[in-house]
């Protein structure tokens, strides 16, 4: 026979039998699916990934191929998105640039969020000299002009390619998040369930992994989605000025830089790459909003919004 708390959690079916509560994963997925804009953002991101990785196989033109008979030609059946000033296929170059920007953005988002979670949780939980050392390192990296440092180092590491560039972006993208995670961990380490685990002899690393990080997971997931969009924007900006992805490879930033001067006269050279960049960043932000509402335990109702009291309930309360 179930106890009262178990009955409250489980609920009852029509025939009076107890029904087990849905798992957390199912609840999160159900809340996320109820968030229509987030689902739309997820669909857009999936389609962009399909375009980025399947697009090169849909055309006979490679991103470095040159068609000398079609210089700056408008979109046609031969070149779906037209050609640039030297006859390269814009569609092939754009899907290649999108692929490179997406991979860099995801890699930077994962690395930066992982570093922020590890540093912030360790600093907040252990305290003492560990906290002072990690906080000093975080503050030291915060005062460095990251854009200037990357623009100086990146062109000198051509042998490492875009992978080194992605690590440089991640190196300067985790500090603010780490400070927030540290503050949240300091408040969590004195909670009853953390103290109980500590008194039971559970190791500090296991406490951080099983008790601290799950309680800041909602913030970390939102930060990771924002970090992906920010990383793509940073990569685009650095590549636009020639400090990011280096020729002969391309990214959205290099394509936007090449097409800026012809944006009015030959718009297909600029607006396809710029449009995909805007759509991706917007879709990622919509996914982040949906995940925040789905993971927030205090959110209720479709889309994670708080359920408003009905008028009848409000009138009864007023009486």
């Amino acid at each position: 026979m179930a106890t009262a708390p178990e009955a409250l959690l489980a609920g009852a079916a029509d025939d009076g039998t107890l029904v087990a509560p849905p798992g957390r994963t199912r609840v999160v997925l159900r809340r996320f699916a109820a968030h229509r804009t987030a689902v739309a953002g997820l669909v857009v991101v999936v389609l962009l990934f399909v375009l980025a990785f399947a697009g090169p196989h849909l055309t006979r033109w490679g991103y470095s191929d040159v068609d000398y008979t079609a210089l700056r030609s408008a979109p046609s059946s031969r070149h779906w998105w037209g050609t640039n000033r030297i006859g390269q296929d814009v569609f092939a170059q754009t899907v290649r640039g999108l692929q490179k920007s997406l991979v860099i953005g995801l890699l930077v988002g994962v690395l930066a969020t992982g570093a922020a979670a590890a540093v912030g949780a360790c600093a907040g939980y252990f305290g003492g000299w560990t906290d002072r050392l990690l906080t000093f390192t975080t503050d030291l990296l915060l005062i460095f002009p990251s854009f200037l440092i990357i623009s100086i180092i990146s062109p000198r590491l051509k042998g490492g390619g875009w992978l080194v560039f992605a690590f440089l972006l991640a190196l300067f993208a985790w500090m603010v998040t780490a400070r927030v995670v540290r503050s949240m961990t300091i408040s969590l380490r004195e909670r009853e369930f953390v103290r109980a685990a500590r008194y039971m002899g559970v190791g500090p690393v296991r406490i951080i992994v099983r008790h601290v990080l799950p309680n800041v997971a909602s913030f970390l997931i939102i930060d990771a989605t924002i970090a992906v969009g920010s990383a793509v924007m940073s990569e685009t900006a650095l590549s636009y000025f020639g400090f990011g992805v280096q020729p002969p490879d391309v990214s959205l930033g290099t394509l936007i830089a090449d097409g800026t001067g012809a944006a009015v006269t030959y718009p297909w050279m600029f607006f396809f790459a710029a449009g995909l960049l805007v759509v991706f960043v917007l879709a990622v932000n919509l996914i982040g909003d949906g995940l925040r509402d789905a993971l927030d335990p205090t959110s209720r109702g479709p889309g994670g919004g708080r359920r408003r009291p009905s008028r009848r309930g409000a009138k009864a309360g007023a009486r």
Side-chain angles (χ1 to χ4, degrees):
M1 183 175 182
T3 61
E6 292 175 347
L8 291 175
L9 288 173
D14 295 335
D15 57 357
T17 59
L18 294 178
V19 179
R24 176 173 172 79
T25 302
R26 292 179 58 188
V27 173
V28 170
L29 291 177
R30 186 170 57 194
R31 289 177 176 176
F32 183 83
H35 203 296
R36 295 182 179 179
T37 56
V39 174
L42 179 61
V43 171
V44 170
V45 169
V46 171
L47 291 178
L48 287 177
F49 270 92
V50 172
L51 175 63
F53 290 93
H57 303 287
L58 301 178
T59 177
R60 64 187 183 92
W61 300 100
Y63 75 95
S64 59
D65 295 341
V66 177
D67 185 2
Y68 295 102
T69 64
L71 304 180
R72 292 179 175 175
S73 65
S76 62
S77 59
R78 182 178 175 85
H79 297 283
W80 299 339
W81 290 0
T83 60
N84 60 10
R85 56 187 177 83
I86 62 174
Q88 293 175 318
D89 188 76
V90 173
F91 175 80
Q93 285 214 315
T94 303
V95 294
R96 170 68 177 187
L98 177 64
Q99 180 184 127
K100 189 65 65 178
S101 296
L102 291 181
V103 171
I104 291 176
L106 283 178
L107 184 59
V108 173
V110 171
L111 291 177
T113 304
V119 173
C122 290
Y125 182 81
F126 291 107
W129 66 268
T130 303
D131 184 19
R132 290 192 293 270
L133 178 61
L134 294 177
T135 303
F136 174 77
T137 304
T138 303
D139 294 339
L140 184 64
L141 289 175
L142 274 174
I143 65 175
F144 285 161
S146 58
F147 191 93
L148 179 61
I149 294 176
I150 295 175
S151 64
I152 294 174
I153 297 177
S154 180
R156 303 177 185 274
L157 300 174
K158 293 183 179 180
W162 62 269
L163 192 59
V164 175
F165 174 61
F167 276 100
L168 285 175
L169 285 176
L171 180 63
F172 295 98
W174 58 269
M175 292 82 71
V176 175
T177 305
R179 292 183 65 87
V180 178
V181 173
R182 172 184 173 272
S183 300
M184 298 174 70
T185 304
I186 291 175
S187 64
L188 285 170
R189 69 183 181 187
E190 299 302 328
R191 298 283 294 273
E192 290 79 3
F193 58 92
V194 175
R195 296 174 64 182
R198 190 161 54 242
Y199 292 152
M200 292 174 63
V202 181
V205 176
R206 192 174 181 181
I207 291 177
I208 291 174
V209 173
R210 298 193 59 180
H211 298 286
V212 175
L213 291 182
N215 282 276
V216 299
S218 177
F219 168 75
L220 290 175
I221 291 175
I222 303 307
D223 180 79
T225 57
I226 296 175
V228 171
S230 300
V232 173
M233 293 293 292
S234 299
E235 179 277 323
T236 302
L238 286 164
S239 298
Y240 180 91
F241 292 108
F243 302 126
V245 177
Q246 301 296 319
D249 209 347
V250 295
S251 70
L252 292 181
T254 60
L255 295 176
I256 292 173
D258 292 339
T260 300
V264 177
T265 55
Y266 304 99
W268 59 86
M269 294 173 54
F270 173 81
F271 285 104
F272 282 116
L276 289 178
L277 174 64
V278 173
V279 169
F280 174 74
V281 175
L282 178 61
V284 167
N285 288 335
L286 292 178
I287 294 174
D289 291 338
L291 288 174
R292 178 198 60 202
D293 293 339
L295 291 168
D296 185 3
T298 63
S299 63
R300 299 176 182 177
R306 298 181 185 274
R307 184 177 299 167
R308 297 181 178 179
S310 62
R311 293 182 179 179
R312 182 178 299 178
K315 291 180 179 179
R319 292 175 184 175

